Amino acid sequence: MDFDFRLKVFYVAANTLNFTKAASELFISQPAVSKNIQEIENTIGTPLFERLGNRLALTPAGKILYQHAQVILEQYNQATYEINEIMGKQNGNLSLGISTTISQYVIPRMLVEFNLQYPENEIKVTQANSKRVEQLLIKNEIHLGITEGFPDNRSLKFTPYIKDEIVLVTRNSNPLCSKEVHMLHDIYKLSLVFREAGSGTRDIIDTKLKEAGISIQHLHTVITLSSSESIKQYLKYSNAAAFLSIHAIQEELKTGELKIIEFENFNMERYFYITHLVGGLAGLPLKFMNFIQLHKAKIYS
């Protein structure tokens, strides 16, 4: 296990060529990254990284290890799974980490369908924001994640699952939003509700607004809430507006409680991602990933 983690630290550091960034992606300290790299170097007897001015680069030995690291990690994951399977630790148990929006509005039907087809399995779902799901994967506390936001953690593999759109919504009677189409700068006139920092939805919103020239710090944020459900309830009793996944507001759009504020030449599209450690999947986690990819059309039906 210790070698597995040290190799994972090396792989991420080699990907980023930045120990500070590697530490952030692995949810450990920068000194811990340096310590793990040094331990590998002491074991094999040669440096893996070198300084070229202000840049970090792989040595010839580092390049060789990097070429083989992903294959080694894949084989280690497969061996660990097979050993756990014969010891009775793996068969029939699946631990998932699912980000908030997906766990509430996207994946429940898939879990029902999977349980109907494979009733002998026991599934545990942890609901958390995307950054927390990534942390649980790094710590090997879950088998598989489904996340939102940007796939920028190089110690994890992100497979696009389904497309999503984030839209600005408000209650139907909001007098400030009576026009059919608004200019994006009209957003400065609105009171806004946002998700918490660390939410994949929040990361996308902040990035897309900044790219469109909107100053986040000059927006009128009235409250920050931790879930789409709490945001929807807040909107029903105020003239505030909030960016939410289109999957989260289907019922409210049908009943007319909420409406979408359309902006000219502006939209926010993203993917939800199936997320796991770099290296291959096996057994039940692989079976579940293949199942939800095969049956994802049912989400839209």
Side-chain angles (χ1 to χ4, degrees):
M1 178 64 187
D2 289 340
F3 177 74
D4 169 47
F5 186 72
R6 287 200 296 268
L7 189 64
K8 190 185 303 177
V9 171
F10 165 75
Y11 182 80
V12 177
N15 258 321
T16 61
L17 294 177
N18 185 309
F19 283 10
T20 302
K21 187 171 182 181
S24 175
E25 293 189 2
L26 290 162
F27 302 98
I28 59 177
S29 66
Q30 190 272 333
V33 171
S34 299
K35 179 175 180 292
N36 279 279
I37 298 297
Q38 187 176 32
E39 287 174 353
I40 298 179
E41 291 176 333
N42 290 340
T43 299
I44 64 177
T46 187
L48 298 170
F49 294 91
E50 60 183 341
R51 288 279 177 189
L52 297 178
N54 293 325
R55 295 187 302 107
L56 197 63
L58 289 169
T59 64
K63 291 177 181 177
I64 292 172
L65 184 58
Y66 178 64
Q67 289 172 0
H68 294 281
Q70 184 166 350
V71 175
I72 294 170
L73 288 169
E74 288 177 355
Q75 292 177 341
Y76 184 92
N77 288 347
Q78 178 67 24
T80 301
Y81 183 90
E82 291 178 10
I83 291 168
N84 285 336
E85 191 171 36
I86 65 171
M87 294 174 65
K89 294 180 179 180
Q90 194 74 48
N91 191 33
N93 294 308
L94 176 64
S95 183
L96 303 173
I98 305 180
S99 62
T100 311
T101 299
I102 304 166
S103 68
Q104 290 178 326
Y105 307 107
V106 176
I107 209 64
R109 185 170 178 181
M110 292 293 98
L111 292 172
V112 171
E113 298 279 351
F114 188 77
N115 270 330
L116 287 173
Q117 189 160 335
Y118 304 101
E120 72 282 3
N121 298 311
E122 181 180 339
I123 301 175
K124 178 185 176 183
V125 176
T126 298
Q127 177 181 299
N129 67 38
S130 294
K131 292 300 181 187
R132 177 60 179 156
V133 172
E134 291 179 12
Q135 188 173 16
L136 292 172
L137 284 165
I138 296 295
K139 292 181 175 180
N140 286 303
E141 293 182 15
I142 58 174
H143 299 119
L144 200 66
I146 308 179
T147 58
E148 49 201 276
F150 294 107
D152 59 357
N153 190 323
R154 298 191 189 193
S155 59
L156 300 172
K157 181 174 181 180
F158 296 83
T159 302
Y161 178 36
I162 58 172
K163 186 176 282 190
D164 182 38
E165 183 179 4
I166 299 172
V167 293
L168 188 65
V169 295
T170 188
R171 68 176 177 176
N172 219 359
S173 58
N174 188 343
L176 296 174
C177 304
S178 56
K179 293 190 295 185
E180 287 190 13
V181 180
H182 295 255
M183 302 301 295
L184 184 56
H185 275 69
D186 289 340
I187 197 173
Y188 290 114
K189 303 173 186 177
L190 300 175
S191 299
L192 297 170
V193 183
F194 281 105
R195 283 284 304 277
E196 82 285 4
S199 155
T201 300
R202 179 64 183 268
D203 290 344
I204 292 284
I205 294 166
D206 288 355
T207 299
K208 293 292 187 181
L209 288 176
K210 286 176 184 176
E211 288 175 352
I214 298 297
S215 172
I216 305 295
Q217 61 267 31
H218 289 114
L219 294 176
H220 181 208
T221 302
V222 292
I223 192 170
T224 300
L225 297 170
S226 61
S227 72
S228 298
E229 280 301 307
S230 57
I231 290 174
K232 289 193 296 184
Q233 291 302 315
Y234 190 94
L235 294 183
K236 290 177 183 179
Y237 301 103
S238 77
N239 283 326
F243 286 101
L244 292 170
S245 164
I246 194 72
H247 291 286
I249 57 170
Q250 291 301 303
E251 290 303 316
E252 289 76 14
L253 292 178
K254 289 177 184 177
T255 62
E257 291 177 282
L258 298 177
K259 66 177 179 180
I260 296 173
I261 301 172
E262 300 281 359
F263 289 116
E264 187 174 300
N265 300 321
F266 180 78
N267 61 66
M268 292 190 196
E269 291 185 342
R270 62 168 175 183
Y271 274 94
F272 295 138
Y273 292 91
I274 301 169
T275 312
H276 58 85
L277 289 170
V278 169
L281 282 178
L284 195 56
L286 179 60
K287 184 187 293 185
F288 182 78
M289 185 175 80
N290 290 339
F291 181 89
I292 63 173
Q293 287 178 312
L294 182 64
H295 294 83
K296 63 185 178 183
K298 293 185 178 180
I299 292 170
Y300 299 101
S301 62

